[in-house]
Amino acid sequence: MSSVDQLRWSEPNDATPFLPERKTLSSLRDAAAGCRGCPLWRNATQTVFGEGLKRSRLMLIGEVPGDKEDRSGQPFVGPAGRELDKALEAAGIDREEVYVTNAVKHFSFTERGKRRIHQTPKRFHIDACRPWLDSEIELIRPEAIVLLGATAGKALLGSKFKLGESRGRPLESDLAPLVTATAHPSSILRQRDDDARHAERRMFTEDLKRVAQMLAAG
Ligand code: SF4
């Protein structure tokens, strides 16, 4: 049995016991700070809970906090967050009016020397963390949800989700009146050269513009 599997079987795999009795965004945030629902809390600095207003019409769901987010305790404040901010601005969406969160609330990484390298969370991390995300959706009841990247798509819509097929169009889901998907903003940073980065940035912005138009029409 691998060490990951050993941890999987020897530790809890569900955040449910950590949920507060009375759910508000602030009681959820406080309770999530003490979550031990899966092994990811052990090496991370802190829980990175979602951020935004309860009345947000739009919710963006990413994969997992990154290095900067882990240190600051806030979602989307690192390089990918800066890409997100630029794209939201270009799409005419005020970030203050958007609720941003992740499918998994603790940083998942491996160490390479002094560097902490992002590691895609496993399915059992995503399943364990789902009660937090479900609670956020239940409280905010957004008009639109945008899934950022394949991991968020699979987490919410199932393992058959394919970003290439689903990107930029309305998807069938009970999660919100409008559910759609686009790339994770970190994909812009992973492109091999400036041209590819500009193209990915343009596509990402266009996807968000379409969401803004649908929200304005709705
Ligand atoms: S990743 Fe989610 S389930 Fe796992 S410890 Fe953190 S908050 Fe709890």
Side-chain angles (χ1 to χ4, degrees):
M1 194 185 272
S2 73
S3 57
V4 169
D5 286 336
Q6 274 167 0
L7 274 177
R8 178 181 177 176
W9 296 116
S10 60
E11 298 219 18
N13 193 39
D14 184 6
T16 307
F18 299 92
L19 292 175
E21 248 172 59
R22 202 176 140 266
K23 288 185 192 170
T24 64
L25 280 181
S26 95
S27 72
L28 283 169
R29 169 185 294 278
D30 290 350
C35 183
R36 304 290 182 258
C38 80
L40 285 181
W41 68 273
R42 287 188 176 281
N43 297 324
T45 308
Q46 58 194 314
T47 307
V48 181
F49 202 68
E51 205 171 70
L53 302 172
K54 186 166 175 289
R55 62 172 166 77
S56 300
R57 294 175 67 204
L58 173 60
M59 181 185 271
L60 304 181
I61 304 176
E63 180 194 280
V64 68
D67 183 71
K68 284 258 166 48
E69 287 80 6
D70 172 73
R71 294 180 200 281
S72 73
Q74 292 175 285
F76 288 99
V77 292
R82 282 196 290 280
E83 289 292 341
L84 176 64
D85 286 350
K86 278 192 268 182
L88 285 171
E89 196 182 343
I93 300 172
D94 183 354
R95 174 155 171 179
E96 299 294 312
E97 299 286 322
V98 179
Y99 190 88
V100 286
T101 193
N102 284 299
V104 171
K105 313 289 194 228
H106 273 107
F107 184 29
S108 170
F109 63 95
T110 49
E111 279 171 306
R112 207 171 291 159
K114 287 193 176 155
R115 291 180 66 211
R116 304 190 303 168
I117 311 292
H118 158 271
Q119 197 172 40
T120 304
K122 308 273 183 216
R123 183 79 225 183
F124 65 89
H125 297 134
I126 293 168
D127 291 343
C129 215
R130 182 70 189 256
W132 297 118
L133 186 55
D134 284 342
S135 301
E136 289 172 295
I137 296 172
E138 185 187 309
L139 272 180
I140 291 163
R141 288 191 288 121
E143 287 170 46
I145 290 179
V146 180
L147 305 167
L148 301 174
T151 304
K154 286 189 175 135
L156 274 297
L157 301 179
S159 54
K160 293 211 169 93
F161 173 87
K162 287 201 172 68
L163 185 61
E165 290 170 7
S166 307
R167 182 172 186 162
R169 60 183 186 81
L171 302 170
E172 216 167 289
S173 167
D174 297 335
L175 294 168
L178 171 67
V179 175
T180 185
T182 182
H184 192 280
S186 62
S187 68
I188 299 166
L189 305 166
R190 285 199 302 271
Q191 300 300 316
R192 63 191 179 286
D193 56 33
D194 279 353
D195 286 349
R197 267 189 293 282
H198 287 145
E200 184 58 40
R201 196 174 279 132
R202 214 167 25 243
M203 270 168 64
F204 183 62
T205 305
E206 287 305 315
D207 287 341
L208 293 181
K209 273 186 187 162
R210 265 194 297 279
V211 173
Q213 282 160 3
M214 287 188 258
L215 273 174

